[in-house]
Amino acid sequence: MASPIKMDENDGDPGLEELEGFDDFTLASGWERFISEIEAPCRLWLLDGSKNLVGKGAELVLAPKNLYKVKCDVKYGMKSYCMEYYFELETHGKSDWWKDEVHNLQLSFGITEFLVITPLSMSGVILDAPEATKLLGAVAIALSNCGSAWPAFVPVHDPTRNAYNGIENIGMCFSRRFETDRIGSQVPIRLMHLEGLYELFVSKFAFVTTDLTFNFFKVHFTMRLTYRTPPNDGDEEHGDESETVKSSVDMEGPMHIIKQWDDDCPWAEWYSAEDPVKGFELVTIWSTRIVESSLEMAEFENASTKEADKWFLMPIVFSSVNDGAKTNQVGFASQLSLLLSAFRVSFEAEFMEDFTSVENHGSDNLKSSTTIPPPTVLDRVLKELFPSEAQVSGHGEREHKHSKSIKGAPLGSLFAQFCLYSLWFGNCNIRAISALWVEFVREVRWCWEESKPLPKMPVTGTIDLSSCLIHQKLQMLALCIVKRDSQNQFFDCDEDETSIQNENIKECLDEGDLVQKPMPLKMIDGGCKSGTRWDGDTSQDLPLSPRVRRGSAGVVANMMLLKSYQKMHAPITQDPPVMTEDMHEERLQTMEAFGDAFCKGSSVQLEKEILSSDMAAFKAANPGAVFEDFIRWHSPGHWETAENGETDILKKNSTFKRGWPPKGRLSHRMSEYGNLWRHIWNDAPDLPACEQKPLFDPNREGEKILHYLETLRPHLLLEQMVCTAFRASADTLNQTDFGGMKQMIVRMEQLYLTIASTLKTLRASHVADKEEELFSDLDRLCHIFEQVERLLIFAASIHRKLHAAPRLRNGIFDDCHKHFTPRMGVGSVDSNNKEFHIKQMVSRNERETVANLFPPPTANQSWRKVLSMGNQLNGHEPMKREIIFTVFDAMIGSHYGTSNQSDQEIETHRMYICGTSNDLQVALSVTSCD
């Protein structure tokens, strides 16, 4: 276009007012400016290199952190385009075609880095063929000016076809053309089989009119087949495993209940978990082979899949395994979260009955949002907790080594079962918990009043002080019931005194059972005067004691009384009084309040009562015994014997002769003047245990325990319920059989330690001070518990399916563990919404186990298969078949070569085919000499 140039009057000759117009061809056209606009960012990308581009914020496209992209916008006329450059940090080479996580264009054409130019429109594709050609031409020129050989692509046709056209400059003489398209329906039958696909590829370069079947071309062939385990049909699933039961409504007809996959898992008593492994994908790869005819391709189609060179297995993971997935799955973690909500509300009332009382105006807001289950449900739960026949659980048999570090009740105990039932009772709201607790305490009182053993509470005679206080109270109550009922029998002293006296006079050294005294009590210090030696020189003059022996538990082995010449008998003694944690603390606080003097006196007083009881029982069982006899039996460490002991005397002599009694003496401590033990001995009466004042009053202690349970503050109850519920839930999950996978063992150990450390601060005195901080930690603990719970269910599912291939099972679990699970102990659980696509290689000896995951199709599944593609695995078709055909040609002596080029081959044709019986995608690249 000519444009007149007007000059200023002061410039040049004043006689020349205007120059003649002319055309300036040095100005760039729109086409040239578009090429320049493409060229500029390409030069920058080439100059930066892949590592610098990543450092400048390149976007990650595909894991595992290898394929990235950068982009910029370019404009041509009135249209705008987005130009994207895809590149890899580490190039694996074109030979690694079947690697995981590759871009579709990389797999289709065997490339590593490339450009894609797409229009900024709604469809994102170019519907005009001339426009596509013009774009590719501009990009080719721009890349040639940069000295780059990047392939460039533009999307064409309808978006559903996923079609591209592309071009690549190879040196100065060659170029490659790319084209890909898709048939979404009505795939020709010929193209469903390897023979027809081979002929399709050959037709692209074989210019013959005869039948291609009898022409021989050296075609490189590789194939990847993907199988997916068949879905379960609802009417056929577990055909032999389904159980038949009678309906509670209609008892005449049977009702089939399908057995769930986790029916024998430990959590199945409380909820049913959806199987996190929906199935498996098996990828089989046939390495590159040279095929010369379509008949050979037909043989490959009939070949067994087990002959493939490589097998890879990947689980199809349900979204609930992902921590970031928001699902409505019901599990221990979700119910524990509801229990924490009830714990927050528990501070609003003084007694548990207040939450269910109609007169309680403070709980009106609760009544509108929480409900109490009907009485039938409550009765059913109580029957489970208090069965008609008392059950003693075996809790603690399979406890985790860190379970006792959590101050709750052992799994299987009465209070632990109450807490687990509370999680599911009325959706674990505070009013439902209150109603259940009130009835629970009533049942406990009924057991006490009717002298019925408490179920799920073994009577061991000791209190587990590492457990929560309610469990300790129930332990003591169970002991009180037993002691109260067996007290008369245990202390039965109605023996025939005459017969006992005669027996004592006539007894010989070898008669009766030999009984040893249990471990002695803690010693009590005596006076400070030096001890006196007792040698027994005058004991032989004493006559046999005529007194009646009472409360004997049997003869003590090889021991005789020093002065009465009779065998020593072990007495029946009272058990020392048991105490719960709060009783110990109350005693300690009392001693601290009254100072050290009372502390020492109170401690001595408790042991004095026990010691006096033992001495009185010993005197009753051994008439004529002296203090030294009691020491020899109760505390043999304080009796110093001579070399010739009484045992030798008993062996050598059947009667008492010279040399008896044996030489011996009390220890210095026991022989001191004013020794407390001797004072107690002197004051102790001759009374068997049955006639003594009880050291432990079961009636009084039992009523105190019931009063404690009936008046327990709600927040104190909920505090112990939270600890016990976390411990019992973890112990239940810990019983899961997951094959001993190391990662899961570590996660469970971390869970126990996290629970113990978080709940350690959960005490009533600390809640009011740091309530928000405490509940924040508890909420975080719920998230961690949920994470481990889902992971453990996944581990159990994987173990069930691959228990015969432990190496493969462990590898898959480790991959999922790394992919889905963030680091435990952080403030919040990270979200990870990426799908799982990691595959594990299957070894030769594991293929049979994997093949068993694909059982022969049922009749219902078989009729659906109308068309067959071949390469079946146990009767199952591959869900996707991918094939790569390539042909190479020498550059010298062909139309591709020139006289000065070296003798090498280039890939002249390449075809990637991906499809099923109703979907086929084909990508073709052709190298030509331009």
Side-chain angles (χ1 to χ4, degrees), residues 683-732:
D683 296 337
D686 297 358
L687 284 178
C690 61
E691 298 180 12
Q692 299 174 12
K693 178 183 177 181
L695 296 174
F696 179 82
D697 188 351
N699 291 293
R700 181 185 62 186
E701 296 299 333
E703 288 296 336
K704 289 172 62 177
I705 292 170
L706 290 171
H707 177 75
Y708 168 82
L709 297 176
E710 291 169 344
T711 59
L712 185 61
R713 297 288 298 273
H715 70 276
L716 296 178
L717 169 63
L718 268 294
E719 171 192 317
Q720 298 180 65
M721 286 183 63
V722 168
C723 295
T724 300
F726 269 102
R727 174 176 171 175
S729 300
D731 286 340
T732 301

Side-chain angles (χ1 to χ4, degrees), residues 709-776:
L709 297 176
E710 291 169 344
T711 59
L712 185 61
R713 297 288 298 273
H715 70 276
L716 296 178
L717 169 63
L718 268 294
E719 171 192 317
Q720 298 180 65
M721 286 183 63
V722 168
C723 295
T724 300
F726 269 102
R727 174 176 171 175
S729 300
D731 286 340
T732 301
L733 294 178
N734 187 56
Q735 296 181 9
T736 305
D737 182 12
F738 51 82
M741 286 181 274
K742 183 178 179 180
Q743 288 282 7
M744 196 66 245
I745 293 176
V746 173
R747 295 296 296 207
M748 287 301 299
E749 185 170 345
Q750 291 177 343
L751 176 64
Y752 275 99
L753 295 177
T754 305
I755 294 175
S757 62
T758 304
L759 299 182
K760 188 176 182 180
T761 59
L762 186 58
R763 297 290 185 270
S765 58
H766 301 301
V767 172
D769 299 336
K770 301 180 179 179
E771 181 176 348
E772 291 302 323
E773 181 180 350
L774 172 64
F775 283 108
S776 177

Side-chain angles (χ1 to χ4, degrees), residues 29-162:
S29 64
W31 166 258
E32 292 172 323
R33 286 193 297 270
F34 181 54
I35 294 175
S36 177
E37 195 169 350
I38 295 175
E39 183 179 339
C42 290
R43 288 185 181 275
L44 291 176
W45 294 338
L46 281 169
L47 183 62
D48 285 336
S50 58
K51 292 185 178 180
N52 290 333
L53 289 177
V54 172
K56 291 182 178 180
E59 179 184 351
L60 176 64
V61 179
L62 292 174
K65 295 185 178 180
N66 192 37
L67 184 64
Y68 294 82
K69 75 174 181 180
V70 290
K71 61 183 179 180
C72 69
D73 294 338
V74 294
K75 194 172 184 179
Y76 178 49
M78 300 299 295
K79 290 189 175 181
S80 297
Y81 300 90
C82 177
M83 184 170 64
E84 298 175 324
Y85 168 49
Y86 293 80
F87 62 93
E88 293 182 350
L89 280 180
E90 299 177 2
T91 302
H92 298 281
K94 294 185 178 181
S95 60
D96 191 12
W97 288 324
W98 301 125
K99 65 180 180 181
D100 293 332
E101 301 294 341
V102 296
H103 194 276
N104 183 49
L105 291 176
Q106 290 179 306
L107 180 59
S108 298
F109 302 112
I111 57 179
T112 56
E113 53 184 356
F114 55 94
L115 287 175
V116 177
I117 299 183
T118 57
L120 296 176
S121 61
M122 293 293 294
S123 64
V125 297
I126 300 172
L127 304 179
D128 187 3
E131 182 182 0
T133 303
K134 184 182 295 185
L135 278 177
L136 288 177
V139 174
I141 295 173
L143 293 177
S144 178
N145 294 339
C146 297
S148 171
W150 295 338
F153 298 90
V154 293
V156 294
H157 305 308
D158 187 82
T160 59
R161 291 168 63 175
N162 195 26

